[in-house]
Amino acid sequence: MSGDGIVRNHRAYLDGCQSIRSSVMFYREIHQAAQTLGRPNQLFADAVDARQEIDLRIGASFTRFQTMLLRDCFVLPYLEEEKKLVLSYGPCQFPTLGFIVERYWQVQAHEPEEFWTISCFYSAESGDASFSWLRGRLFDYLSAAVIYEMCIEEPTATVCQVTGQESRKYPPHPLNTVELQKRASRYFRMSSEQTMKVAEELYQAGYMSYPRTETDFFSENTDLKGITGQQVRHPQWGPYAERLLNPEENLWRNPSNGGHDDKAHPPIHPTRFSEGEPGWTNDHKNIYELVVRHFLACVSQPAIGYGTHATIDIAGEQFSAHGLMIIAKNYLEVYRFDSWGASTIPKFEVGQQFIPTRLTLDSGTTMPPPLLSEADLISLMDQAGIGTDATMHDHIKKCLDRRYATKDAHTRFCPTNLGEALVMGYDDMGYELWKPYLRAMMEKDMKAVSEGSKSKAQILHTSLQQMRHCFLDAKMQKEKLLESMGLFFERTQSGEHRQVGENVSPCNACGVSNLALKRKPDGKYMVGCLNFPQCRNVVWLPGAILEAAVTTEVCSSCRPGPVFKIRFKFRRAEIPLQYSSDYTGCVGGCDDILKDIINVCGSGGGARGPRGSGNGNLNRVRTCPTCGNSGHQPCECTLRRTQLPQPPDHQPNNLARSPGGEEILCLCQEACTLLTANTEANRGRKFYRCHSRLCDFFKWEEDQQPMQRVPEAEQRHGQNRMGRKKSTHRADVANTANLQGSRTHRGIAGDGRFVSATGETSQSGRCFRCGDPTHWANACPSRGL
């Protein structure tokens, strides 16, 4: 580089230093930093990167989980205002909400309890004294009344002890970010967000130092008296600043050490004098005044007072009184935000006796703790290590923006129904994700990375694995969140089908969740997997159910268990007469009565019979109840023929007969029963059904085509299989060539048999409802029953 370039760079450097010196930082510090350049600390960078990655992964995962699960399931009162509502989760945001909810629960759980205390008051020419009972208070009235009566009978008070000593009230430590937010909230009722916004603007304008700092002590190189000298011209605190610089006043004191140093920025202090700028709001004036007065206070002597403590005895009961006389206010003269209440009491001597002016038995009730103020909340976050000094206000604001909490005019927080429901849901899961413990451990690991005792990869693996287990478990127990939200919010039409009821059995489809009883918006019941929509396993229940509830009775035959039975209450007019309207059954697939009621009345899913498209147990491939095998109808089971013979003289009264007097036969080659439909669409229509309910024969009375009994020889050799229509019926259907071509195109051969895609005849194809091979089950006339 040429000499002119060096000179130009040096002048630019000096100009930059001068500009910085006049606004925020000190020339000496800038110069020292430029002379002692070093490489950036890689460990600090790794700790920051680890924090960002952990927060991003955890926050994105849980936010998506909460939002997708809950947003569309419940009627939230402010959903119309925010169409794209996000139910966010943050590793720092949620513990912040947890503090608010926990304090609210403490307030709600408080039970007022009455107590009694004895109060003693003495008035003299030299002053008044209020004595407090050393027992404090008693919660038993009789005991308190007995002691009070003793004092009344012997009211003479004797002074037992008098002590007096000098006491000091020390000024605060130098100001850091956390204290700035707490004091601004306490003194001016400013939110932490507004405080940081105003402080940032004052910093950018050069009136105060960088407002985001953890440091609360000044280095030896800081020109504290120079900063103080800038303020002597101010009309309010200027005279006090001038006295501070006067050695004769003996007001100056080096600031105390708060013990925190972020090794990046000094404590917050004024950097330029101002009596108020034209564009400043009241918030700007208040924050600047707080920064200046706090700085002047921390370089001042403590307030000095003299405290007196007197103890008296009345009938064996002791009472005490305190008095304080301020000798020198010192820093309290300039720090108007702090006070030290003086109270004088008469001069007492040991052995002195007097009669109290007033001696009373007072009652009161215990009070709950107050809701958290913003200053209290920031203190709790700081103690638990939730967030940094520069991000705490962001976490608080996020809770308010997400409608998880509200803040009143006194800066006290109260959770909303949404915030309380979320915390309650996670609390019911057993994982205290709303507690500060997990985040505190993470912050401890971050510090270990910055110190070099742990690696970035190590803590990433540990923290993410830990939260991964929490996340997977939360997904498994997401019904807890739905249940807690259901306590506060009404369900939407789209979310009602996901309403969680009592668990019925483990889900045999996904294997990771349970099947639970649910009620749809139309009032019909179903048993569905709680892992919906990932798992769509469902058992459609009869549509005639009026009420349903899971019992503690376990089915002994269904697996995987336990499968709890359900107590049903049916609408009397919609179920067959032979069944009771109150019934307890199993939905695991073993209950033929439920299947029969579904066949007659339909299911809540719209499918007739137990062969819907779902994956629930009632919708599976049907097995023979006699032998347990599939592939044949119950009436075809040879084991049934030997085990369950029908008595030859068994003739039901309502066996159906054709107009010619012939019996109407079902697929079992047995006489049918004539029944009347009770469904809304077909109420009053008569139809034929198998009397023993072992086959799926169905036919309307007006469409009846009586089947003739098939010879046993043909049954044995399979020459006329069950489910096929009589040959005369096939001939009638096949007479028209156009119809025959149409049926072949639909996959039905000209002789009425189903054909496969290759054109081969399928012997087993037929409608499973009525046995007719000329149509599928979805086109069966009985489907509208």
Side-chain angles (χ1 to χ4, degrees), residues 331-470:
Y331 89 93
L332 292 176
E333 294 183 30
V334 69
Y335 204 59
R336 66 178 181 87
F337 312 110
D338 212 345
S339 63
W340 198 16
S343 60
T344 59
I345 62 175
K347 183 178 180 180
F348 294 106
E349 295 181 359
V350 176
Q352 177 184 346
Q353 292 185 336
F354 60 88
I355 301 296
T357 306
R358 186 171 60 248
L359 191 64
T360 59
L361 178 63
D362 299 328
S363 66
T365 56
T366 56
M367 299 295 293
L371 294 172
L372 286 180
S373 66
E374 188 152 5
D376 298 332
L377 180 58
I378 293 173
S379 295
L380 290 174
M381 295 172 67
D382 186 41
Q383 294 170 9
I386 302 302
T388 64
D389 59 308
T391 61
M392 288 182 184
H393 67 283
D394 288 330
H395 304 316
I396 296 174
K397 181 177 182 296
K398 189 65 69 176
C399 288
L400 298 174
D401 291 344
R402 296 304 187 203
R403 311 298 181 92
Y404 293 165
T406 58
K407 186 173 65 172
D408 61 18
H410 302 287
T411 72
R412 296 199 176 273
F413 292 92
C414 181
T416 62
N417 289 340
L418 177 59
E420 186 177 2
L422 291 175
V423 172
M424 185 183 298
Y426 284 112
D427 186 59
D428 291 342
M429 292 179 187
Y431 280 103
E432 295 182 329
L433 297 177
W434 55 281
K435 290 283 192 178
Y437 311 134
L438 288 175
R439 185 61 188 185
M441 288 191 295
M442 291 181 187
E443 290 294 338
K444 186 177 180 181
D445 288 339
M446 308 297 178
K447 185 177 180 180
V449 172
S450 65
E451 295 172 350
S453 57
K454 287 186 179 181
S455 66
K456 170 185 172 183
Q458 182 180 358
I459 69 149
L460 279 177
H461 176 76
T462 302
S463 299
L464 292 178
Q465 282 298 318
Q466 182 183 36
M467 292 305 298
R468 181 176 182 271
H469 292 312
C470 293

Side-chain angles (χ1 to χ4, degrees), residues 482 491 495-501 516-519 530:
L482 293 170
R491 291 183 174 272
E496 187 69 27
H497 71 283
R498 295 167 69 173
Q499 180 176 351
V500 179
L517 179 65
K518 306 179 182 181
R519 189 173 186 178
L530 296 176

Side-chain angles (χ1 to χ4, degrees), residues 8 19 79 110 286 416 477 499 634 774-775:
R8 284 195 300 270
S19 174
L79 193 58
H110 176 75
N286 289 334
T416 62
Q477 301 187 64
Q499 180 176 351
T774 63
H775 60 258

Side-chain angles (χ1 to χ4, degrees), residues 707-784:
M707 294 186 65
Q708 298 179 359
R709 192 177 298 275
V710 181
E712 290 187 8
E714 290 186 5
Q715 291 185 31
R716 285 195 305 269
H717 294 87
Q719 295 176 359
N720 197 338
R721 299 289 301 274
M722 294 183 185
R724 294 174 53 188
K725 304 281 273 187
K726 198 178 176 187
S727 59
T728 56
H729 298 162
R730 294 198 304 270
D732 292 339
V733 176
N735 282 337
T736 306
N738 293 338
L739 180 59
Q740 179 180 3
S742 168
R743 291 174 57 213
T744 304
H745 179 72
R746 288 167 47 207
I748 304 177
D751 59 354
R753 293 171 295 175
F754 284 86
V755 296
S756 65
T758 60
E760 299 175 353
T761 302
S762 174
Q763 298 293 333
S764 60
R766 59 184 173 82
C767 172
F768 71 79
R769 301 185 184 280
C770 64
D772 192 340
T774 63
H775 60 258
W776 295 104
N778 61 356
C780 182
S782 66
R783 187 169 181 266

Side-chain angles (χ1 to χ4, degrees), residues 10 71 215 244 286 327 338 500 504 556 588 645 662 761:
H10 182 66
R71 182 176 62 183
T215 305
L244 271 175
N286 289 334
I327 300 174
D338 212 345
V500 179
V504 176
S556 59
E662 299 178 354
T761 302

Side-chain angles (χ1 to χ4, degrees), residues 92-102 399 404-405 415 419 422-423:
C92 291
Q93 172 198 348
F94 231 67
T96 302
L97 173 63
F99 287 130
I100 299 173
V101 174
E102 186 174 31
C399 288
Y404 293 165
L422 291 175
V423 172

